[in-house]
Amino acid sequence: AEREALREQIREVHAHYVALMEEERYAQAADVVGELIEPAARSLGSESRAVLRLRSWRAVSRQLAGDHRAALPEFEALADAYGRVSGPSSEEALECRAQAARCRGELGQVTEALAGLNGVLETVRAIDGDVSENAVELRRDIGMLLLAQQRAAEAFDVLEPLHEDLCVVFGPHDELTAEVAETLAVIRLDLDGDGGEGTGPSV
């Protein structure tokens, strides 16, 4: 009966959480979920599905609140937990690893962020292929992270094949295809105007 009451409570908290997230009250959403994590872990076990879900919700809302420093260790712990519970290449484990890497990018830990994203991408490619939704997002994020580092030629090498794939799979007018095309146009200008150091491809 205690477990059933707890599950009911989790459902209520989730409804409240979703409402707060829709209002972009991310820090509050994290608090609402956070209050239930301890009691749920005591009752159901710290690596039960329900508790991992609560922890994921809190990590996501912290990330959206811009609190990457708090979200990072949560996503890393969740990636390990899901690795044990569902397997290291499970969707949940990979998603948490990718989110941890994105947090590192936001915190300026670019080398680790790129290593993390590339590691997840390798696994996603092996399971779902190059143009699955996850693979496409990861490839875009890797390109954008390189670009933010002023590594324009490397970013170009990631984003140009991505753009070609997107054109084939989603068409040139798809929102993401257009976004990547715009970024490539900016990079081309940058590479053409870099004083002829010869870092970029001549287009």
Side-chain angles (χ1 to χ4, degrees):
E2 185 198 349
R3 285 191 167 200
E4 199 36 61
L6 187 61
R7 289 190 192 288
E8 184 53 43
Q9 211 180 343
I10 290 173
R11 278 192 287 275
E12 284 169 20
V13 160
H14 186 240
H16 190 187
Y17 169 82
V18 169
L20 287 168
M21 291 291 275
E22 281 172 359
E23 291 171 20
E24 297 183 13
R25 290 158 68 185
Y26 303 125
Q28 260 177 293
D31 292 342
V32 163
V33 171
E35 282 169 21
L36 198 53
I37 290 175
E38 287 286 312
R42 275 199 301 275
S43 172
L44 303 171
S46 62
E47 292 195 354
S48 69
R49 289 250 162 224
V51 172
L52 290 179
R53 262 200 305 277
L54 286 167
R55 288 167 60 190
S56 298
W57 296 338
R58 181 171 67 181
V60 166
S61 49
R62 282 183 164 168
Q63 188 180 28
L64 287 169
D67 192 355
H68 302 288
R69 206 164 292 286
L72 172 59
E74 294 223 7
F75 280 125
E76 295 194 317
L78 281 162
D80 290 343
Y82 275 122
R84 287 189 289 275
V85 173
S86 315
S89 54
S90 63
E91 202 175 322
E92 298 97 338
L94 290 171
E95 178 60 22
C96 290
R97 274 177 62 197
Q99 295 300 58
R102 290 181 179 112
C103 287
R104 286 191 180 279
E106 293 290 341
L107 292 167
Q109 301 170 15
V110 177
T111 309
E112 296 92 333
L114 285 168
L117 291 172
N118 278 308
V120 175
L121 178 58
E122 268 174 44
T123 309
V124 169
R125 272 186 167 139
I127 299 169
D128 293 326
D130 235 4
V131 286
S132 60
E133 194 181 335
N134 277 348
V136 161
E137 275 181 21
L138 288 160
R139 291 166 69 191
R140 189 222 20 222
D141 289 351
I142 289 164
M144 297 313 268
L145 204 50
L146 287 165
L147 189 57
Q149 285 290 292
Q150 269 79 52
R151 290 156 70 177
E154 288 174 74
F156 191 92
D157 291 342
V158 170
L159 293 173
E160 193 184 35
L162 172 60
H163 181 251
E164 286 167 10
D165 288 346
L166 290 172
C167 280
V168 172
V169 179
F170 301 109
H173 303 298
D174 175 78
E175 199 177 332
L176 183 60
T177 313
E179 183 192 310
V180 174
E182 277 172 38
T183 306
L184 281 168
V186 172
I187 297 176
R188 278 197 185 92
L189 285 173
D190 184 36
L191 292 173
D192 288 346
D194 68 1
E197 288 166 37
T199 48
S202 51
V203 180

Short mmCIF file of all heavy atoms in Angstrom, two decimals, residues 42-89:
data_model
loop_
_atom_site.label_atom_id
_atom_site.label_comp_id
_atom_site.label_asym_id
_atom_site.label_seq_id
_atom_site.Cartn_x
_atom_site.Cartn_y
_atom_site.Cartn_z
N ARG A 42 14.28 5.51 -0.59
CA ARG A 42 14.21 4.67 0.62
C ARG A 42 13.21 3.53 0.42
O ARG A 42 13.43 2.41 0.83
CB ARG A 42 13.79 5.51 1.83
CG ARG A 42 14.96 6.21 2.50
CD ARG A 42 14.63 6.63 3.92
NE ARG A 42 13.48 7.53 3.95
CZ ARG A 42 13.56 8.86 3.76
NH1 ARG A 42 14.74 9.43 3.54
NH2 ARG A 42 12.48 9.62 3.82
N SER A 43 12.10 3.84 -0.23
CA SER A 43 11.02 2.87 -0.37
C SER A 43 11.25 1.91 -1.54
O SER A 43 11.01 0.71 -1.43
CB SER A 43 9.70 3.61 -0.55
OG SER A 43 8.69 2.70 -0.88
N LEU A 44 11.73 2.43 -2.66
CA LEU A 44 11.78 1.63 -3.89
C LEU A 44 13.20 1.18 -4.26
O LEU A 44 13.37 0.36 -5.15
CB LEU A 44 11.19 2.42 -5.06
CG LEU A 44 9.77 2.94 -4.91
CD1 LEU A 44 9.42 3.88 -6.06
CD2 LEU A 44 8.78 1.79 -4.84
N GLY A 45 14.21 1.79 -3.60
CA GLY A 45 15.60 1.48 -3.95
C GLY A 45 16.15 2.57 -4.85
O GLY A 45 15.46 3.10 -5.71
N SER A 46 17.43 2.94 -4.63
CA SER A 46 17.99 4.13 -5.29
C SER A 46 18.14 3.95 -6.79
O SER A 46 18.27 4.93 -7.51
CB SER A 46 19.33 4.50 -4.66
OG SER A 46 20.23 3.42 -4.85
N GLU A 47 18.15 2.68 -7.28
CA GLU A 47 18.27 2.48 -8.73
C GLU A 47 17.02 1.86 -9.33
O GLU A 47 17.06 1.26 -10.41
CB GLU A 47 19.53 1.66 -9.05
CG GLU A 47 20.79 2.46 -8.74
CD GLU A 47 22.08 1.91 -9.34
OE1 GLU A 47 22.06 0.81 -9.92
OE2 GLU A 47 23.11 2.59 -9.21
N SER A 48 15.89 2.04 -8.64
CA SER A 48 14.63 1.60 -9.24
C SER A 48 14.29 2.54 -10.40
O SER A 48 14.72 3.70 -10.42
CB SER A 48 13.50 1.64 -8.21
OG SER A 48 13.20 2.99 -7.89
N ARG A 49 13.52 2.03 -11.36
CA ARG A 49 13.15 2.83 -12.54
C ARG A 49 12.52 4.16 -12.13
O ARG A 49 12.84 5.21 -12.70
CB ARG A 49 12.14 2.06 -13.39
CG ARG A 49 12.77 0.88 -14.08
CD ARG A 49 12.84 1.16 -15.57
NE ARG A 49 13.79 0.27 -16.20
CZ ARG A 49 14.66 0.66 -17.10
NH1 ARG A 49 14.75 1.92 -17.44
NH2 ARG A 49 15.48 -0.19 -17.67
N ALA A 50 11.61 4.09 -11.17
CA ALA A 50 10.87 5.31 -10.77
C ALA A 50 11.82 6.36 -10.22
O ALA A 50 11.71 7.55 -10.55
CB ALA A 50 9.81 4.96 -9.74
N VAL A 51 12.79 5.94 -9.41
CA VAL A 51 13.72 6.89 -8.80
C VAL A 51 14.67 7.45 -9.86
O VAL A 51 14.96 8.66 -9.87
CB VAL A 51 14.50 6.22 -7.64
CG1 VAL A 51 15.60 7.14 -7.13
CG2 VAL A 51 13.53 5.88 -6.50
N LEU A 52 15.13 6.60 -10.77
CA LEU A 52 16.01 7.09 -11.84
C LEU A 52 15.26 8.12 -12.70
O LEU A 52 15.83 9.11 -13.13
CB LEU A 52 16.52 5.94 -12.71
CG LEU A 52 17.52 4.99 -12.02
CD1 LEU A 52 17.94 3.87 -12.96
CD2 LEU A 52 18.75 5.74 -11.52
N ARG A 53 13.96 7.86 -12.93
CA ARG A 53 13.17 8.83 -13.70
C ARG A 53 13.10 10.17 -12.98
O ARG A 53 13.28 11.22 -13.59
CB ARG A 53 11.75 8.30 -13.96
CG ARG A 53 11.59 7.66 -15.34
CD ARG A 53 10.14 7.61 -15.75
NE ARG A 53 9.30 6.95 -14.77
CZ ARG A 53 9.14 5.64 -14.69
NH1 ARG A 53 9.77 4.83 -15.52
NH2 ARG A 53 8.35 5.11 -13.77
N LEU A 54 12.83 10.12 -11.67
CA LEU A 54 12.78 11.37 -10.88
C LEU A 54 14.12 12.11 -10.97
O LEU A 54 14.15 13.33 -11.16
CB LEU A 54 12.47 11.05 -9.41
CG LEU A 54 11.04 10.64 -9.06
CD1 LEU A 54 10.99 10.05 -7.66
CD2 LEU A 54 10.08 11.82 -9.17
N ARG A 55 15.21 11.36 -10.83
CA ARG A 55 16.54 11.99 -10.88
C ARG A 55 16.80 12.60 -12.26
O ARG A 55 17.41 13.67 -12.37
CB ARG A 55 17.62 10.97 -10.51
CG ARG A 55 17.61 10.61 -9.02
CD ARG A 55 18.46 9.39 -8.72
NE ARG A 55 19.86 9.56 -9.09
CZ ARG A 55 20.76 8.57 -9.11
NH1 ARG A 55 20.40 7.33 -8.78
NH2 ARG A 55 22.01 8.80 -9.43
N SER A 56 16.33 11.91 -13.32
CA SER A 56 16.50 12.45 -14.68
C SER A 56 15.73 13.74 -14.84
O SER A 56 16.24 14.71 -15.42
CB SER A 56 15.98 11.44 -15.72
OG SER A 56 16.71 10.26 -15.68
N TRP A 57 14.49 13.76 -14.35
CA TRP A 57 13.69 14.98 -14.46
C TRP A 57 14.39 16.14 -13.77
O TRP A 57 14.44 17.25 -14.30
CB TRP A 57 12.29 14.78 -13.85
CG TRP A 57 11.45 13.75 -14.56
CD1 TRP A 57 11.61 13.32 -15.84
CD2 TRP A 57 10.36 13.02 -14.01
NE1 TRP A 57 10.66 12.35 -16.13
CE2 TRP A 57 9.87 12.14 -15.03
CE3 TRP A 57 9.73 12.99 -12.76
CZ2 TRP A 57 8.80 11.29 -14.84
CZ3 TRP A 57 8.65 12.14 -12.56
CH2 TRP A 57 8.19 11.29 -13.60
N ARG A 58 14.93 15.86 -12.57
CA ARG A 58 15.61 16.94 -11.84
C ARG A 58 16.85 17.43 -12.61
O ARG A 58 17.09 18.63 -12.70
CB ARG A 58 16.02 16.50 -10.43
CG ARG A 58 16.70 17.63 -9.66
CD ARG A 58 16.94 17.32 -8.21
NE ARG A 58 17.91 16.25 -8.03
CZ ARG A 58 18.27 15.78 -6.83
NH1 ARG A 58 17.74 16.27 -5.73
NH2 ARG A 58 19.16 14.81 -6.73
N ALA A 59 17.61 16.49 -13.15
CA ALA A 59 18.82 16.88 -13.88
C ALA A 59 18.47 17.75 -15.10
O ALA A 59 19.10 18.77 -15.36
CB ALA A 59 19.59 15.63 -14.32
N VAL A 60 17.43 17.34 -15.83
CA VAL A 60 17.01 18.09 -17.02
C VAL A 60 16.56 19.50 -16.64
O VAL A 60 16.94 20.48 -17.29
CB VAL A 60 15.88 17.34 -17.77
CG1 VAL A 60 15.21 18.24 -18.80
CG2 VAL A 60 16.44 16.09 -18.45
N SER A 61 15.78 19.61 -15.57
CA SER A 61 15.30 20.95 -15.19
C SER A 61 16.45 21.82 -14.69
O SER A 61 16.48 23.02 -14.95
CB SER A 61 14.16 20.87 -14.16
OG SER A 61 14.49 20.02 -13.11
N ARG A 62 17.42 21.22 -14.02
CA ARG A 62 18.59 22.00 -13.59
C ARG A 62 19.38 22.48 -14.81
O ARG A 62 19.86 23.62 -14.84
CB ARG A 62 19.50 21.15 -12.69
CG ARG A 62 18.96 21.04 -11.28
CD ARG A 62 19.88 20.27 -10.37
NE ARG A 62 19.52 20.51 -8.98
CZ ARG A 62 19.99 19.80 -7.96
NH1 ARG A 62 20.84 18.83 -8.19
NH2 ARG A 62 19.62 20.08 -6.74
N GLN A 63 19.52 21.60 -15.79
CA GLN A 63 20.23 21.97 -17.01
C GLN A 63 19.52 23.14 -17.69
O GLN A 63 20.16 24.12 -18.10
CB GLN A 63 20.29 20.75 -17.93
CG GLN A 63 21.18 20.94 -19.16
CD GLN A 63 21.19 19.70 -20.03
OE1 GLN A 63 20.24 18.93 -20.05
NE2 GLN A 63 22.28 19.48 -20.75
N LEU A 64 18.20 23.04 -17.81
CA LEU A 64 17.44 24.11 -18.47
C LEU A 64 17.45 25.40 -17.66
O LEU A 64 17.35 26.49 -18.21
CB LEU A 64 16.00 23.65 -18.73
CG LEU A 64 15.85 22.64 -19.87
CD1 LEU A 64 14.45 22.04 -19.88
CD2 LEU A 64 16.17 23.27 -21.22
N ALA A 65 17.61 25.26 -16.35
CA ALA A 65 17.71 26.45 -15.50
C ALA A 65 19.08 27.12 -15.64
O ALA A 65 19.32 28.19 -15.09
CB ALA A 65 17.47 26.08 -14.03
N GLY A 66 19.98 26.47 -16.39
CA GLY A 66 21.32 27.02 -16.59
C GLY A 66 22.29 26.62 -15.51
O GLY A 66 23.42 27.10 -15.45
N ASP A 67 21.85 25.70 -14.62
CA ASP A 67 22.72 25.26 -13.52
C ASP A 67 23.50 24.02 -13.97
O ASP A 67 23.29 22.91 -13.47
CB ASP A 67 21.89 24.96 -12.26
CG ASP A 67 22.76 24.79 -11.03
OD1 ASP A 67 24.00 24.80 -11.17
OD2 ASP A 67 22.20 24.65 -9.93
N HIS A 68 24.40 24.22 -14.93
CA HIS A 68 25.13 23.09 -15.51
C HIS A 68 26.06 22.43 -14.51
O HIS A 68 26.32 21.23 -14.58
CB HIS A 68 25.91 23.55 -16.74
CG HIS A 68 25.03 24.15 -17.78
ND1 HIS A 68 24.17 23.42 -18.55
CD2 HIS A 68 24.82 25.45 -18.14
CE1 HIS A 68 23.49 24.22 -19.36
NE2 HIS A 68 23.87 25.45 -19.13
N ARG A 69 26.51 23.21 -13.55
CA ARG A 69 27.43 22.67 -12.54
C ARG A 69 26.73 21.62 -11.67
O ARG A 69 27.33 20.63 -11.27
CB ARG A 69 27.97 23.82 -11.68
CG ARG A 69 29.32 23.54 -11.05
CD ARG A 69 29.96 24.82 -10.54
NE ARG A 69 30.36 25.72 -11.61
CZ ARG A 69 31.40 25.53 -12.41
NH1 ARG A 69 32.16 24.46 -12.27
NH2 ARG A 69 31.70 26.40 -13.36
N ALA A 70 25.45 21.88 -11.38
CA ALA A 70 24.68 20.90 -10.58
C ALA A 70 24.20 19.74 -11.45
O ALA A 70 24.11 18.60 -10.99
CB ALA A 70 23.49 21.60 -9.92
N ALA A 71 23.87 20.04 -12.72
CA ALA A 71 23.32 19.00 -13.58
C ALA A 71 24.37 17.97 -13.99
O ALA A 71 24.07 16.78 -14.12
CB ALA A 71 22.69 19.63 -14.83
N LEU A 72 25.62 18.44 -14.17
CA LEU A 72 26.68 17.56 -14.69
C LEU A 72 26.87 16.28 -13.86
O LEU A 72 26.76 15.18 -14.40
CB LEU A 72 28.00 18.33 -14.83
CG LEU A 72 29.23 17.51 -15.18
CD1 LEU A 72 29.06 16.77 -16.50
CD2 LEU A 72 30.49 18.38 -15.22
N PRO A 73 27.13 16.40 -12.53
CA PRO A 73 27.34 15.16 -11.76
C PRO A 73 26.08 14.28 -11.73
O PRO A 73 26.18 13.06 -11.64
CB PRO A 73 27.71 15.66 -10.36
CG PRO A 73 27.32 17.09 -10.31
CD PRO A 73 27.33 17.61 -11.70
N GLU A 74 24.90 14.91 -11.81
CA GLU A 74 23.66 14.12 -11.84
C GLU A 74 23.59 13.27 -13.10
O GLU A 74 23.28 12.08 -13.05
CB GLU A 74 22.45 15.06 -11.82
CG GLU A 74 22.32 15.83 -10.52
CD GLU A 74 20.89 15.87 -10.03
OE1 GLU A 74 20.01 15.20 -10.62
OE2 GLU A 74 20.65 16.58 -9.05
N PHE A 75 23.86 13.90 -14.25
CA PHE A 75 23.81 13.14 -15.49
C PHE A 75 24.87 12.04 -15.51
O PHE A 75 24.62 10.94 -16.02
CB PHE A 75 23.99 14.07 -16.71
CG PHE A 75 22.75 14.81 -17.09
CD1 PHE A 75 22.75 16.20 -17.19
CD2 PHE A 75 21.56 14.14 -17.38
CE1 PHE A 75 21.59 16.90 -17.56
CE2 PHE A 75 20.41 14.82 -17.75
CZ PHE A 75 20.43 16.20 -17.84
N GLU A 76 26.05 12.33 -14.94
CA GLU A 76 27.10 11.31 -14.93
C GLU A 76 26.71 10.13 -14.04
O GLU A 76 26.91 8.97 -14.41
CB GLU A 76 28.43 11.93 -14.50
CG GLU A 76 28.89 12.95 -15.54
CD GLU A 76 30.34 13.37 -15.39
OE1 GLU A 76 30.76 13.61 -14.24
OE2 GLU A 76 31.03 13.46 -16.43
N ALA A 77 26.13 10.44 -12.88
CA ALA A 77 25.69 9.37 -11.98
C ALA A 77 24.55 8.57 -12.62
O ALA A 77 24.50 7.34 -12.52
CB ALA A 77 25.22 9.97 -10.65
N LEU A 78 23.65 9.28 -13.31
CA LEU A 78 22.54 8.60 -13.99
C LEU A 78 23.04 7.71 -15.12
O LEU A 78 22.53 6.61 -15.33
CB LEU A 78 21.55 9.63 -14.53
CG LEU A 78 20.58 10.23 -13.51
CD1 LEU A 78 19.97 11.52 -14.05
CD2 LEU A 78 19.48 9.23 -13.16
N ALA A 79 24.04 8.19 -15.87
CA ALA A 79 24.59 7.39 -16.96
C ALA A 79 25.15 6.08 -16.41
O ALA A 79 24.93 5.00 -16.97
CB ALA A 79 25.68 8.17 -17.70
N ASP A 80 25.85 6.16 -15.27
CA ASP A 80 26.39 4.96 -14.63
C ASP A 80 25.26 4.03 -14.16
O ASP A 80 25.31 2.82 -14.36
CB ASP A 80 27.27 5.32 -13.43
CG ASP A 80 28.58 5.97 -13.87
OD1 ASP A 80 28.93 5.85 -15.06
OD2 ASP A 80 29.23 6.62 -13.03
N ALA A 81 24.25 4.65 -13.52
CA ALA A 81 23.14 3.85 -12.99
C ALA A 81 22.38 3.15 -14.12
O ALA A 81 22.10 1.95 -14.05
CB ALA A 81 22.20 4.74 -12.17
N TYR A 82 22.05 3.90 -15.17
CA TYR A 82 21.35 3.29 -16.30
C TYR A 82 22.23 2.26 -16.99
O TYR A 82 21.73 1.26 -17.51
CB TYR A 82 20.90 4.36 -17.30
CG TYR A 82 19.59 5.01 -16.96
CD1 TYR A 82 19.49 6.39 -16.78
CD2 TYR A 82 18.42 4.24 -16.82
CE1 TYR A 82 18.27 7.00 -16.47
CE2 TYR A 82 17.20 4.84 -16.51
CZ TYR A 82 17.13 6.21 -16.33
OH TYR A 82 15.93 6.80 -16.03
N GLY A 83 23.54 2.49 -16.99
CA GLY A 83 24.47 1.50 -17.55
C GLY A 83 24.34 0.18 -16.82
O GLY A 83 24.37 -0.89 -17.45
N ARG A 84 24.18 0.25 -15.49
CA ARG A 84 24.03 -0.99 -14.69
C ARG A 84 22.65 -1.60 -14.89
O ARG A 84 22.50 -2.81 -15.03
CB ARG A 84 24.25 -0.69 -13.20
CG ARG A 84 25.70 -0.43 -12.84
CD ARG A 84 25.89 -0.36 -11.35
NE ARG A 84 25.32 0.84 -10.76
CZ ARG A 84 25.94 2.02 -10.69
NH1 ARG A 84 27.15 2.16 -11.19
NH2 ARG A 84 25.35 3.06 -10.12
N VAL A 85 21.62 -0.76 -14.89
CA VAL A 85 20.24 -1.25 -14.90
C VAL A 85 19.79 -1.68 -16.29
O VAL A 85 19.17 -2.72 -16.47
CB VAL A 85 19.29 -0.15 -14.34
CG1 VAL A 85 17.83 -0.55 -14.49
CG2 VAL A 85 19.61 0.14 -12.89
N SER A 86 20.11 -0.87 -17.30
CA SER A 86 19.59 -1.11 -18.66
C SER A 86 20.66 -1.49 -19.66
O SER A 86 20.36 -1.79 -20.81
CB SER A 86 18.88 0.15 -19.19
OG SER A 86 18.05 0.71 -18.22
N GLY A 87 21.93 -1.37 -19.25
CA GLY A 87 23.03 -1.65 -20.18
C GLY A 87 23.65 -0.36 -20.68
O GLY A 87 22.95 0.64 -20.86
N PRO A 88 24.98 -0.36 -20.90
CA PRO A 88 25.70 0.88 -21.24
C PRO A 88 25.29 1.48 -22.58
O PRO A 88 25.48 2.67 -22.81
CB PRO A 88 27.17 0.46 -21.26
CG PRO A 88 27.18 -1.03 -21.23
CD PRO A 88 25.88 -1.49 -20.67
N SER A 89 24.71 0.66 -23.49
CA SER A 89 24.28 1.26 -24.76
C SER A 89 22.77 1.43 -24.81
O SER A 89 22.21 1.62 -25.90
CB SER A 89 24.81 0.45 -25.94
OG SER A 89 24.42 -0.90 -25.81
#
